[in-house]
Amino acid sequence: MIDNDGPGPRRAGETPAGLVRVVVADDQDAVRTGLTMILGATPDIKVVAEVGDGDAAVRAVAAHAPDVVLMDIRMPGLDGIEATRRILAAGGRTQVLVLTTFDLDELVDGALVAGAAGFLLKSVDAVRLQEGVRAVARGDGVLAPEITRRVITRSIGARRPASVPGLDDLTARETDVLGGLGRGLSNAELAAELVISEATAKTHVSRVLAKLGLRSRTQAAIAAQEAGLV
């Protein structure tokens, strides 16, 4: 593991406002180096650690409390899906953005069920990767355009029509927010559509996820489709 952030966890006041702190997890040295160079090319993103397997990723999150883990799926030992599950189960603020060569259905599903906030392919260009990291850090979700439509369509088709647990507990405004998530709206877009502040939109999204027992905006988008809100 390469540590770029010094010893010990982050302390209050150490991170400049707006800086996105990232752990890069990939079993190929050259890939990790390339990703670190791409992310380091912009001043608002800092790679605080580079790791080569899922176990090391979990330890790096515990040590550095990053905003985002850029996570490969297929790694020796603990894979990226299980590492994602463990990181999110710990209850911290870290979000996971999966970056992989493979777009197989079972891998995409596994990552999203584990709670990953986004899924991009390694063919993504540098600008889109940087934007994806920023989006996940600020609480938005991101899916590679190549797989967005088929992920949602397949997820709906695999389930029998049924009410979404917790849907009745949502307020009218929260139901509107869920519908917006179903259409892939960001926090800023939700705020503009509902004429509220972006901070309020983010709060509503958090409440929707909590009431429905969901871990990510993508899971919420699927729930909105199932509930007929889109």
Side-chain angles (χ1 to χ4, degrees), residues 79-97:
D79 66 23
I81 293 176
E82 181 58 29
T84 296
R85 187 176 293 110
R86 294 186 187 184
I87 287 168
L88 297 179
R93 62 189 298 276
T94 301
Q95 298 294 321
V96 176
L97 174 57

Side-chain angles (χ1 to χ4, degrees), residues 15-33:
T15 302
L19 182 67
V20 179
R21 303 167 74 258
V22 180
V23 167
V24 174
D26 195 289
D27 63 336
Q28 298 182 47
D29 292 344
V31 172
R32 290 200 305 273
T33 299

Side-chain angles (χ1 to χ4, degrees), residues 18-66:
L19 182 67
V20 179
R21 303 167 74 258
V22 180
V23 167
V24 174
D26 195 289
D27 63 336
Q28 298 182 47
D29 292 344
V31 172
R32 290 200 305 273
T33 299
L35 292 173
T36 298
M37 290 178 63
I38 289 171
L39 296 178
T42 179
D44 62 330
I45 300 176
K46 179 182 180 180
V47 176
V48 298
E50 303 168 30
V51 300
D53 60 66
D55 279 315
V58 173
R59 293 195 299 270
V61 169
H64 300 285

Side-chain angles (χ1 to χ4, degrees), residues 73-74 81 103-111 150 154:
I73 287 184
R74 291 187 172 177
I81 293 176
D103 64 345
L104 300 177
D105 288 351
E106 63 269 22
L107 298 182
V108 176
D109 288 346
R150 88 166 193 253
R154 188 179 65 256

Side-chain angles (χ1 to χ4, degrees), residues 60-76:
V61 169
H64 300 285
D67 301 293
V68 178
V69 178
L70 195 58
M71 183 81 75
D72 191 18
I73 287 184
R74 291 187 172 177
M75 295 184 288

Side-chain angles (χ1 to χ4, degrees), residues 26 35 39 68-73 96-104 107-108 111-112 116-136 141-148 151 218:
D26 195 289
L35 292 173
L39 296 178
V68 178
V69 178
L70 195 58
M71 183 81 75
D72 191 18
I73 287 184
V96 176
L97 174 57
V98 170
L99 184 69
T100 183
T101 306
F102 308 98
D103 64 345
L104 300 177
L107 298 182
V108 176
L112 297 179
F119 192 107
L120 293 176
L121 301 180
K122 287 182 178 177
S123 58
V124 67
D125 62 40
V127 172
R128 174 65 173 162
L129 177 61
Q130 293 163 352
E131 291 175 346
V133 167
R134 294 187 189 103
V136 168
V142 58
L143 278 178
E146 302 94 323
I147 61 176
T148 300
V151 165
T218 305

